[in-house]
Amino acid sequence: KAKERGNNFQFYSSSLNGISVRKMELENGLRKALEFNQLMLYYQPQFSLTTGEIVGMEALIRWDHPEYGFVSPSEFIPLAEETGLIVPIGKWVLREACRQRKDWSKAGIADFPIAVNVSVRQFEDDHFIEYTAAVLEEIGLDAGLLELEITESIMQNLQRSSYILHQLERMGVLLSIDDFGTGYSSLSYLNRLPIHKIKIDKSFVQDVPFLVSQEMLVKTIIDMGLNLNYIVIAEGIETGHQLEFLRQNDCAVGQGYLFSKPLPADEIEMYLERNKSG
Ligand code: C2E
Ligand code: CA
Ligand code: CA
Ligand code: CA
């Protein structure tokens, strides 16, 4: 018994070490990732659930690590937030997404906006507004083609966030609340922020049709969104049943593996080409 416990302890502590070694290596690697061009953006289309048209495109970061291969952003974005590296990484993402959108405009690809995820840490950076304006100016991109996805956590610093959001809105940038329903946003404040769109988190969508309570929640978010004049988008749609449910409840826009996974820019172009001719 005692021996067993000893072994367990050893196993336990070495696996903890394993985690922290990986974490350290990822942290160090992340510093170099930008420099060595290991970061790239994938794009996932968003569809009108009434017309089937593409009405948006979300940029999602990918990291191709020389040893570990593709590391999930759910693993490295929190590390980047901890270390502050999210600020330079976020700048790169914003610039790269705007550059891509501009390239698509030049190629005559329809005018859907590009949506960029913005971490709170990045959003609260003193130079965020300035930097965003500078990127749009430098690239010559219409601000209406840029959408920023922020989470409800910005409401922790409501006064400052409200100021930043109003500045961005004045610039003409579109704003959406990501992962809606998972945070603790106060509805009375939400209403006073210049938000265009709310994204229902995939954790709710994926419980349709398995949990009636989650179905009710999705319905309620859609109704609230419609009443407050937001565009409501559901993410993580994987099944025809989920799509049907969302359509029946008047959700305007959808995104998910059912339509398309996130893809590199050239595959998105092929996809758009196929859909045009097909
Ligand atoms: P998110 O913003 O909520 O993005 C949705 C995630 O769901 C993405 O994961 C996307 O690939 C995935 N997804 C899309 N459709 C489906 C589906 O039908 N089923 C399932 N199971 N998943 C689906 P990804 O790309 O791994 O990103 C994870 C998170 O990392 C994102 O969640 C976002 O919070 C963060 N992230 C990604 N790119 C960036 C970035 O450029 N900057 C920042 N700050 N965060 C990012
Ligand atoms: Ca997002
Ligand atoms: Ca998110
Ligand atoms: Ca989400």
Coordinates of all heavy atoms in Angstrom, one line a residue, residues 40-42 44 58-62 71-78 81 86 89-90 92-94 115-120 122 149 151 178-179 199 201-202 206 235-239 242 255-262, ligand 1:
M40 N 0.2 32.2 -37.5 CA -0.5 32.5 -38.8 C -2.0 32.6 -38.4 O -2.4 32.2 -37.3 CB -0.3 31.4 -39.8 CG -0.8 30.0 -39.4 SD 0.0 28.7 -40.3 CE 1.1 28.2 -39.1
L41 N -2.8 33.1 -39.3 CA -4.2 33.3 -39.1 C -5.0 32.3 -39.9 O -4.6 32.1 -41.1 CB -4.7 34.7 -39.4 CG -4.1 35.8 -38.5 CD1 -4.7 37.1 -38.8 CD2 -4.4 35.5 -37.0
Y42 N -6.0 31.7 -39.3 CA -6.9 30.9 -40.1 C -8.2 31.7 -40.1 O -8.4 32.7 -39.3 CB -7.2 29.5 -39.4 CG -6.2 28.4 -39.8 CD1 -4.9 28.8 -40.2 CD2 -6.6 27.1 -39.8 CE1 -4.0 27.7 -40.6 CE2 -5.7 26.1 -40.2 CZ -4.4 26.4 -40.6 OH -3.5 25.4 -40.9
Q44 N -12.6 31.6 -40.4 CA -13.8 30.8 -40.4 C -15.0 31.7 -40.8 O -15.3 32.7 -40.2 CB -14.1 30.2 -39.0 CG -15.2 29.2 -39.0 CD -15.5 28.6 -37.7 OE1 -15.3 29.2 -36.6 NE2 -15.9 27.3 -37.7
E58 N -14.2 35.2 -39.3 CA -13.5 35.4 -38.0 C -12.0 35.0 -38.2 O -11.8 33.9 -38.7 CB -14.1 34.7 -36.9 CG -13.3 34.9 -35.5 CD -13.9 34.2 -34.3 OE1 -14.9 33.5 -34.5 OE2 -13.4 34.3 -33.2
A59 N -11.1 35.8 -37.8 CA -9.7 35.4 -37.9 C -9.3 34.7 -36.6 O -9.6 35.2 -35.5 CB -8.8 36.7 -38.0
L60 N -8.7 33.5 -36.6 CA -8.3 32.8 -35.5 C -6.8 32.4 -35.6 O -6.4 31.9 -36.6 CB -9.2 31.5 -35.4 CG -10.6 31.8 -35.1 CD1 -11.5 30.7 -35.6 CD2 -10.8 32.0 -33.5
I61 N -6.1 32.7 -34.5 CA -4.6 32.6 -34.6 C -4.2 31.1 -34.5 O -4.9 30.3 -33.8 CB -4.0 33.4 -33.4 CG1 -2.5 33.5 -33.7 CG2 -4.2 32.7 -32.1 CD1 -1.8 34.6 -32.8
R62 N -3.2 30.7 -35.2 CA -2.6 29.4 -35.1 C -1.1 29.5 -34.9 O -0.5 30.4 -35.4 CB -2.9 28.6 -36.4 CG -4.3 28.3 -36.7 CD -4.9 27.3 -35.7 NE -6.3 27.0 -35.8 CZ -7.3 27.6 -35.1 NH1 -7.0 28.6 -34.3 NH2 -8.5 27.3 -35.3
V71 N -0.1 24.2 -31.6 CA -0.5 24.4 -30.2 C -1.8 25.2 -30.2 O -2.0 26.2 -31.0 CB 0.5 25.2 -29.4 CG1 0.1 25.4 -28.0 CG2 1.9 24.6 -29.6
S72 N -2.8 24.8 -29.5 CA -4.1 25.4 -29.5 C -4.1 26.8 -28.8 O -3.4 27.0 -27.8 CB -5.1 24.5 -28.7 OG -6.3 25.3 -28.4
P73 N -4.8 27.8 -29.5 CA -4.8 29.1 -28.8 C -5.4 29.1 -27.4 O -5.1 29.9 -26.6 CB -5.7 29.9 -29.8 CG -6.3 29.0 -30.8 CD -5.5 27.7 -30.7
S74 N -6.3 28.1 -27.2 CA -6.8 28.0 -25.8 C -5.7 27.7 -24.8 O -5.8 28.0 -23.6 CB -7.8 26.8 -25.7 OG -8.7 26.8 -26.8
E75 N -4.6 27.1 -25.3 CA -3.5 26.9 -24.4 C -2.5 28.1 -24.4 O -2.0 28.5 -23.3 CB -2.7 25.6 -24.8 CG -1.6 25.3 -23.8 CD -0.9 24.0 -24.1 OE1 -1.1 23.4 -25.2 OE2 -0.1 23.5 -23.3
F76 N -2.2 28.7 -25.5 CA -1.1 29.7 -25.5 C -1.6 31.1 -25.3 O -0.9 32.0 -24.9 CB -0.2 29.5 -26.7 CG -0.7 30.0 -28.0 CD1 -0.6 31.3 -28.4 CD2 -1.1 29.1 -29.0 CE1 -1.1 31.7 -29.6 CE2 -1.6 29.5 -30.2 CZ -1.6 30.8 -30.5
I77 N -2.9 31.4 -25.7 CA -3.4 32.8 -25.5 C -3.4 33.1 -24.0 O -2.9 34.2 -23.6 CB -4.8 33.0 -26.2 CG1 -4.6 33.0 -27.7 CG2 -5.4 34.3 -25.7 CD1 -3.9 34.2 -28.3
P78 N -3.9 32.2 -23.1 CA -3.8 32.5 -21.7 C -2.3 32.8 -21.2 O -2.1 33.7 -20.4 CB -4.3 31.3 -21.0 CG -5.3 30.7 -22.0 CD -4.6 31.0 -23.3
E81 N -1.4 36.1 -22.3 CA -2.0 37.1 -21.5 C -1.3 37.3 -20.2 O -1.0 38.4 -19.7 CB -3.5 36.8 -21.2 CG -4.4 37.0 -22.4 CD -5.8 36.4 -22.3 OE1 -6.0 35.6 -21.5 OE2 -6.6 36.8 -23.2
I86 N 0.7 39.1 -25.2 CA -0.6 39.2 -25.9 C -0.6 40.6 -26.7 O -1.2 40.7 -27.7 CB -1.8 39.1 -25.1 CG1 -3.1 38.9 -25.9 CG2 -2.0 40.2 -24.1 CD1 -3.2 37.7 -26.8
I89 N 1.5 40.3 -29.8 CA 0.9 39.2 -30.7 C -0.4 39.8 -31.2 O -0.7 39.7 -32.4 CB 0.6 37.9 -29.8 CG1 2.0 37.3 -29.6 CG2 -0.3 37.0 -30.6 CD1 1.9 36.0 -28.7
G90 N -1.2 40.5 -30.3 CA -2.5 41.0 -30.7 C -2.3 42.1 -31.8 O -3.1 42.2 -32.7
W92 N 0.1 42.1 -34.0 CA 0.4 41.3 -35.3 C -1.0 40.8 -35.9 O -1.2 40.9 -37.1 CB 1.3 40.2 -35.0 CG 1.6 39.4 -36.2 CD1 2.4 39.7 -37.3 CD2 0.9 38.2 -36.6 NE1 2.3 38.7 -38.2 CE2 1.4 37.8 -37.8 CE3 -0.1 37.4 -36.0 CZ2 0.9 36.6 -38.5 CZ3 -0.5 36.2 -36.6 CH2 0.0 35.9 -37.9
V93 N -1.8 40.2 -35.0 CA -3.1 39.7 -35.5 C -3.9 40.7 -36.2 O -4.4 40.5 -37.3 CB -3.9 39.0 -34.3 CG1 -5.3 38.6 -34.8 CG2 -3.2 37.8 -33.7
L94 N -4.0 41.9 -35.5 CA -4.9 42.9 -36.0 C -4.4 43.4 -37.4 O -5.1 43.5 -38.4 CB -4.9 44.1 -35.1 CG -5.8 45.3 -35.5 CD1 -7.3 44.9 -35.3 CD2 -5.5 46.5 -34.7
A115 N -13.5 39.7 -38.5 CA -13.6 39.8 -37.1 C -12.3 39.3 -36.4 O -11.8 38.3 -36.7 CB -14.8 39.0 -36.6
V116 N -11.8 40.2 -35.5 CA -10.6 39.9 -34.8 C -10.8 39.8 -33.3 O -11.5 40.6 -32.7 CB -9.6 41.1 -35.1 CG1 -8.3 40.9 -34.3 CG2 -9.2 41.1 -36.6
N117 N -10.3 38.7 -32.7 CA -10.4 38.6 -31.2 C -9.5 39.5 -30.5 O -8.3 39.5 -30.8 CB -10.1 37.1 -30.8 CG -11.2 36.2 -31.3 OD1 -12.3 36.1 -30.7 ND2 -10.9 35.5 -32.4
V118 N -10.0 40.2 -29.5 CA -9.1 41.1 -28.7 C -9.2 40.7 -27.3 O -10.3 40.7 -26.7 CB -9.6 42.6 -29.0 CG1 -8.8 43.5 -28.1 CG2 -9.5 42.9 -30.4
S119 N -8.1 40.4 -26.7 CA -8.0 40.2 -25.2 C -8.2 41.4 -24.4 O -7.8 42.5 -24.9 CB -6.7 39.5 -24.8 OG -6.5 38.3 -25.4
V120 N -8.8 41.3 -23.2 CA -9.0 42.5 -22.4 C -7.7 43.2 -22.2 O -7.6 44.5 -22.3 CB -9.4 42.2 -20.9 CG1 -10.1 43.3 -20.3 CG2 -10.2 40.9 -20.9
Q122 N -5.2 43.5 -24.0 CA -4.8 44.3 -25.2 C -5.7 45.5 -25.4 O -5.3 46.6 -25.7 CB -5.0 43.3 -26.3 CG -4.4 43.5 -27.6 CD -5.0 42.6 -28.7 OE1 -5.6 41.5 -28.3 NE2 -4.9 42.9 -29.9
E149 N -13.9 41.5 -31.6 CA -14.6 40.7 -30.7 C -14.0 40.8 -29.3 O -12.8 40.4 -29.1 CB -14.6 39.2 -31.2 CG -15.3 39.0 -32.5 CD -15.5 37.5 -32.8 OE1 -15.1 36.6 -32.0 OE2 -16.0 37.2 -33.9
T151 N -14.7 40.3 -24.9 CA -15.6 39.5 -24.0 C -16.2 40.4 -23.0 O -15.8 41.6 -22.8 CB -14.7 38.4 -23.4 OG1 -13.7 39.0 -22.6 CG2 -14.2 37.5 -24.4
D178 N -18.1 38.6 -27.5 CA -17.8 37.2 -27.7 C -18.2 36.4 -26.5 O -18.3 36.9 -25.4 CB -16.3 37.1 -28.0 CG -15.9 35.9 -28.8 OD1 -16.8 35.2 -29.2 OD2 -14.7 35.8 -29.0
D179 N -18.4 35.1 -26.7 CA -18.7 34.2 -25.6 C -19.8 34.7 -24.8 O -19.8 34.5 -23.5 CB -17.5 34.0 -24.7 CG -16.2 33.6 -25.5 OD1 -16.4 32.9 -26.5 OD2 -15.1 33.8 -25.0
K199 N -22.3 37.3 -29.7 CA -22.0 35.9 -30.1 C -22.4 35.0 -29.0 O -21.8 35.0 -27.9 CB -20.6 35.8 -30.5 CG -20.1 36.5 -31.7 CD -18.7 36.0 -32.1 CE -18.7 34.8 -33.0 NZ -17.3 34.5 -33.5
D201 N -22.1 31.8 -27.1 CA -21.0 30.9 -27.0 C -21.3 29.4 -27.4 O -22.5 29.0 -27.2 CB -20.4 30.9 -25.5 CG -19.1 30.1 -25.4 OD1 -18.2 30.5 -26.1 OD2 -19.1 29.1 -24.7
K202 N -20.3 28.7 -28.0 CA -20.6 27.4 -28.5 C -21.0 26.4 -27.4 O -21.7 25.4 -27.6 CB -19.4 26.9 -29.3 CG -18.1 26.7 -28.6 CD -17.1 26.0 -29.5 CE -15.8 25.7 -28.8 NZ -15.0 26.8 -28.6
Q206 N -23.9 23.9 -28.3 CA -23.6 22.4 -28.4 C -24.5 21.6 -27.5 O -24.5 20.4 -27.7 CB -22.2 22.2 -28.2 CG -21.5 22.7 -29.5 CD -20.0 22.6 -29.5 OE1 -19.4 22.3 -28.5 NE2 -19.4 22.9 -30.6
E235 N -22.2 30.6 -32.4 CA -21.0 29.9 -32.8 C -21.0 28.4 -32.5 O -21.9 28.0 -31.7 CB -19.7 30.5 -32.2 CG -19.6 30.3 -30.7 CD -18.2 30.8 -30.1 OE1 -17.5 31.6 -30.7 OE2 -17.9 30.3 -29.0
G236 N -20.2 27.6 -33.1 CA -20.1 26.2 -32.8 C -21.2 25.3 -33.3 O -21.6 24.3 -32.7
I237 N -21.8 25.7 -34.4 CA -22.9 24.9 -34.9 C -22.3 23.7 -35.6 O -21.5 23.8 -36.6 CB -23.8 25.7 -36.0 CG1 -24.3 27.0 -35.3 CG2 -24.9 24.9 -36.5 CD1 -25.0 28.0 -36.3
E238 N -22.7 22.5 -35.1 CA -22.1 21.3 -35.7 C -23.2 20.4 -36.4 O -22.8 19.6 -37.2 CB -21.4 20.5 -34.6 CG -20.2 21.2 -34.1 CD -19.4 20.4 -33.0 OE1 -19.9 19.4 -32.6 OE2 -18.3 20.9 -32.6
T239 N -24.4 20.6 -36.0 CA -25.4 19.6 -36.5 C -26.6 20.4 -37.2 O -26.9 21.5 -36.9 CB -26.0 18.8 -35.4 OG1 -26.9 19.6 -34.6 CG2 -25.0 18.1 -34.6
Q242 N -29.1 21.6 -34.7 CA -28.8 22.9 -34.1 C -29.1 24.0 -35.0 O -29.7 25.0 -34.6 CB -27.3 22.9 -33.7 CG -27.0 22.0 -32.5 CD -25.5 21.7 -32.4 OE1 -24.7 22.1 -33.2 NE2 -25.1 20.9 -31.4
Q255 N -22.1 30.2 -37.3 CA -20.7 29.9 -37.6 C -20.4 28.5 -37.0 O -20.9 28.2 -35.9 CB -19.8 30.9 -36.9 CG -18.3 30.9 -37.1 CD -17.6 32.0 -36.3 OE1 -18.2 32.9 -35.8 NE2 -16.3 31.9 -36.3
G256 N -19.7 27.7 -37.7 CA -19.4 26.3 -37.1 C -19.0 25.3 -38.1 O -19.0 25.5 -39.3
Y257 N -18.5 24.2 -37.5 CA -18.0 23.1 -38.4 C -19.0 22.6 -39.4 O -18.6 22.1 -40.4 CB -17.5 21.9 -37.5 CG -16.3 22.2 -36.6 CD1 -16.0 21.4 -35.6 CD2 -15.6 23.4 -36.8 CE1 -14.9 21.6 -34.7 CE2 -14.5 23.7 -35.9 CZ -14.2 22.8 -34.9 OH -13.1 23.0 -34.1
L258 N -20.3 22.7 -39.1 CA -21.3 22.3 -40.0 C -21.1 23.0 -41.4 O -21.3 22.4 -42.4 CB -22.7 22.6 -39.5 CG -23.9 22.2 -40.4 CD1 -24.0 20.7 -40.5 CD2 -25.2 22.7 -39.8
F259 N -20.7 24.3 -41.3 CA -20.5 25.1 -42.6 C -19.1 24.9 -43.0 O -18.8 24.6 -44.1 CB -20.8 26.5 -42.3 CG -22.2 26.8 -41.8 CD1 -22.4 27.3 -40.5 CD2 -23.3 26.6 -42.6 CE1 -23.6 27.5 -40.0 CE2 -24.6 26.8 -42.1 CZ -24.8 27.3 -40.8
S260 N -18.2 25.3 -42.1 CA -16.7 25.2 -42.4 C -15.9 25.3 -41.2 O -16.2 26.1 -40.3 CB -16.4 26.4 -43.4 OG -15.0 26.5 -43.5
K261 N -14.8 24.6 -41.2 CA -13.8 24.8 -40.1 C -13.0 26.1 -40.4 O -13.1 26.5 -41.6 CB -12.8 23.6 -40.1 CG -13.5 22.3 -39.7 CD -12.4 21.3 -39.2 CE -13.2 20.2 -38.5 NZ -12.4 19.2 -37.8
P262 N -12.2 26.6 -39.5 CA -11.3 27.7 -39.8 C -10.3 27.1 -40.8 O -9.8 26.0 -40.6 CB -10.7 28.0 -38.4 CG -11.6 27.4 -37.4 CD -12.2 26.2 -38.0
Ligands
C2E1 P1 -13.5 31.9 -29.6 O1 -13.2 33.3 -29.9 O2 -14.7 31.6 -28.8 O3 -13.5 31.1 -30.9 C1 -14.3 29.9 -31.2 C2 -13.5 28.7 -31.1 O4 -14.3 27.6 -31.5 C3 -12.3 28.6 -32.1 O5 -11.3 27.8 -31.5 C4 -12.9 27.9 -33.3 O6 -11.9 27.2 -34.1 C5 -13.8 26.9 -32.6 N1 -14.9 26.4 -33.4 C6 -15.5 27.0 -34.5 N2 -16.5 26.3 -34.9 C7 -16.6 25.2 -34.1 C8 -17.5 24.1 -34.0 O7 -18.5 23.9 -34.8 N3 -17.3 23.2 -33.0 C9 -16.3 23.3 -32.1 N4 -16.1 22.4 -31.2 N5 -15.4 24.4 -32.2 C10 -15.6 25.3 -33.1 P2 -9.8 28.2 -31.6 O8 -9.5 28.7 -32.9 O9 -9.0 27.0 -31.1 O10 -9.7 29.4 -30.6 C11 -9.9 29.2 -29.2 C12 -10.0 30.5 -28.5 O11 -8.7 31.2 -28.5 C13 -10.9 31.5 -29.1 O12 -12.3 31.3 -28.7 C14 -10.4 32.8 -28.6 O13 -10.9 33.1 -27.3 C15 -8.9 32.6 -28.6 N6 -8.3 33.1 -29.8 C16 -8.1 32.6 -31.0 N7 -7.5 33.4 -31.8 C17 -7.2 34.5 -31.1 C18 -6.5 35.8 -31.4 O14 -6.1 36.1 -32.5 N8 -6.4 36.7 -30.4 C19 -7.0 36.4 -29.1 N9 -6.8 37.4 -28.2 N10 -7.6 35.3 -28.8 C20 -7.7 34.4 -29.8

